[in-house]
Amino acid sequence: MSEERDISGILEILEDDYARAILEATRRKQMSAKELSEECDMSVSTVSRRVNTLLEYDLLIERTHVDPDGHHYSEYEAQLDRVEVQLLESGFDVRIELREDAADRFTRIWDTMRNE
């Protein structure tokens, strides 16, 4: 997703009980679709649909793991950190903050220092 976030799309996603449950569960720890299905009491197909939407909007990140036997599986982690809605005289100001991993944070800081 681009730097210019689709705020209305994100707010629409956050209206969904299943999407919020997935974000809450993956905020605590990385989880596979099967684990999310059990934790959130929803079918794997429901998890899959919501996960795809959350990934599309950068609200989740996917990490692929390989078992010693060669099989691979994905685990998901919430990327959404904060949603702030402020009512102004001219309308609403909505801010979406995503968590940064250490490598992304370092790159952002380095780029900022180089451009100054």
Side-chain angles (χ1 to χ4, degrees):
M1 196 170 156
S2 70
E3 282 302 312
E4 191 62 38
R5 302 210 178 276
D6 177 4
I7 301 297
S8 61
I10 291 173
L11 293 176
E12 188 176 314
I13 291 166
L14 295 176
E15 285 182 35
D16 182 76
D17 292 337
Y18 293 126
R20 284 196 318 272
I22 289 169
L23 287 169
E24 290 170 12
T26 58
R27 174 76 175 171
R28 295 186 295 272
K29 68 176 188 169
Q30 292 180 21
M31 300 180 87
S32 67
K34 183 177 184 218
E35 291 170 323
L36 283 166
S37 172
E38 294 166 3
E39 173 81 15
C40 300
D41 193 28
M42 63 183 85
S43 70
V44 174
S45 63
T46 299
V47 169
S48 263
R49 284 191 302 274
R50 293 325 189 277
V51 161
N52 287 336
T53 301
L54 291 165
L55 288 169
E56 178 184 335
Y57 282 86
D58 297 330
L59 301 179
L60 276 185
I61 53 176
E62 180 177 19
R63 301 191 192 281
T64 302
H65 302 282
V66 180
D67 285 336
D69 62 2
H71 292 94
H72 68 280
Y73 64 97
S74 293
E75 287 187 326
Y76 305 96
E77 181 180 356
Q79 176 114 344
L80 179 65
D81 189 43
R82 178 185 198 138
V83 176
E84 185 178 308
V85 179
Q86 185 177 13
L87 177 60
L88 305 172
E89 287 183 21
S90 60
F92 287 94
D93 178 35
V94 180
R95 296 174 191 220
I96 308 290
E97 292 181 25
L98 302 178
R99 294 170 26 184
E100 282 184 301
D101 66 14
D104 289 341
R105 189 171 32 256
F106 178 78
T107 300
R108 182 179 48 77
I109 291 168
W110 179 254
D111 288 345
T112 301
M113 290 173 39
R114 285 185 26 199
N115 291 330
E116 288 183 354

